[in-house]
Amino acid sequence: MKKLIVSTAALALTASFAMAADTVRLGTEGAYAPWNFVNDAGEIDGFERELGDELCKRAELTCEWVKNEWDTIIPNLVSGNYDAIIAGMSITDERDEVIDFTQPYTPPDPSAYAAMSADVDPSAGVVAAQATTIQAAFVAEQGWTLVEFATPEETVAAVKNGEADAVLADKSFLDTMVGADGLVMLERMEAIGGGVGMGIRESDGDLRAKFDAAIQSMKDDGTLNTMIAKWEVSSQW
């Protein structure tokens, strides 16, 4: 009887480990509508919430969502605070040196400028961008005057209060901001970045493969394009 009890306990422990192994923590910023944001109920919402839940369903994984500030989102993935990043993160060579990426789940989103006047020249003024983004790197590479902020909302606020002449960000994000307090979109846009994918630790090749397969299945059956159109985050595949 004692052996049976021990064996049963061992099986229960093994089962709990198996269940834990199938629980994937998804890290996101929760501050970049329509990609990801916190709704009135205090829950992560947006395109990537819907996408992440569907990907986990197809990969037969249980999802848990973790909100994390953008400037530490990669270090906290590497340190194990969650298992994957799904936060509007563009695939770049620099980031790929630290983490791995799935195949992109959206094509590159155009980067656009917003300002308080339509005749602002970004190259001759101060441009605000969120720190450690492809937009901040682009402005720096041009040799323009760059001011960086921790959150996307702060970049827009900097333009409205006169700290910056324009903000450079994903067009889909700025679409949710223009029209408020006189903020307008400039005609100029930039094509930067290599599409948006999930960030995965380099040691988690099996997890990356599962999400790659789930993303491909959504591309193949058209549900990914439907979701992209619903949230208006980028062009379709």
Side-chain angles (χ1 to χ4, degrees):
M1 180 63 71
K2 186 175 181 180
K3 280 188 176 181
L4 179 60
I5 292 173
V6 171
S7 298
T8 303
L11 287 172
L13 186 59
T14 301
S16 69
F17 283 156
M19 289 178 64
D22 288 340
T23 299
V24 174
R25 297 159 298 166
L26 302 180
T28 195
E29 184 183 16
Y32 206 62
W35 295 80
N36 56 82
F37 57 92
V38 177
N39 61 26
D40 293 339
E43 299 174 340
I44 298 296
D45 205 340
F47 165 68
E48 286 168 319
R49 174 60 194 264
E50 185 175 354
L51 173 64
D53 286 348
E54 178 62 22
L55 292 175
C56 283
K57 178 181 177 181
R58 293 185 182 219
E60 299 182 346
L61 299 167
T62 300
C63 282
E64 291 181 357
W65 287 87
V66 180
K67 186 175 178 294
N68 194 96
E69 293 182 356
W70 176 261
D71 59 353
T72 59
I73 203 164
I74 289 180
N76 279 329
L77 169 68
V78 174
S79 63
N81 289 349
Y82 32 82
D83 304 299
I85 294 171
I86 179 165
M89 180 172 284
S90 294
I91 300 169
T92 67
D93 291 340
E94 182 181 14
R95 290 169 179 159
D96 198 37
E97 292 178 0
V98 181
I99 61 175
D100 282 342
F101 284 95
T102 62
Q103 63 171 298
Y105 50 79
T106 69
D109 187 30
S111 293
Y113 298 91
M116 298 303 291
S117 172
D119 60 3
V120 167
D121 178 4
S123 66
V126 177
V127 181
Q130 188 175 13
T132 69
T133 61
I134 56 172
Q135 289 84 13
F138 175 83
V139 174
E141 287 167 3
Q142 307 312 303
W144 302 346
T145 302
L146 167 68
V147 57
E148 297 179 89
F149 295 90
T151 69
E153 289 85 357
E154 288 176 302
T155 64
V156 174
V159 174
K160 291 181 179 180
N161 65 29
E163 291 181 70
D165 299 295
V167 52
L168 179 62
D170 288 335
K171 182 178 182 296
S172 54
F173 166 70
L174 291 179
D175 280 338
T176 69
M177 296 290 173
V178 295
D181 302 322
L183 193 71
V184 298
M185 196 86 79
L186 303 186
E187 291 186 4
R188 176 172 180 164
M189 293 189 193
E190 311 293 354
I192 52 180
V196 174
M198 297 180 73
I200 311 286
R201 281 187 295 273
E202 292 183 336
S203 58
D204 288 344
D206 288 345
L207 182 61
R208 185 184 71 247
K210 287 181 179 181
F211 279 127
D212 264 334
I215 292 168
Q216 188 60 52
S217 73
M218 290 187 68
K219 289 180 178 179
D220 291 344
D221 67 17
T223 54
L224 185 52
N225 274 341
T226 299
M227 202 175 290
I228 289 171
K230 171 186 175 180
W231 291 98
E232 299 181 344
V233 292
S234 75
S235 58
Q236 297 187 359
W237 293 103

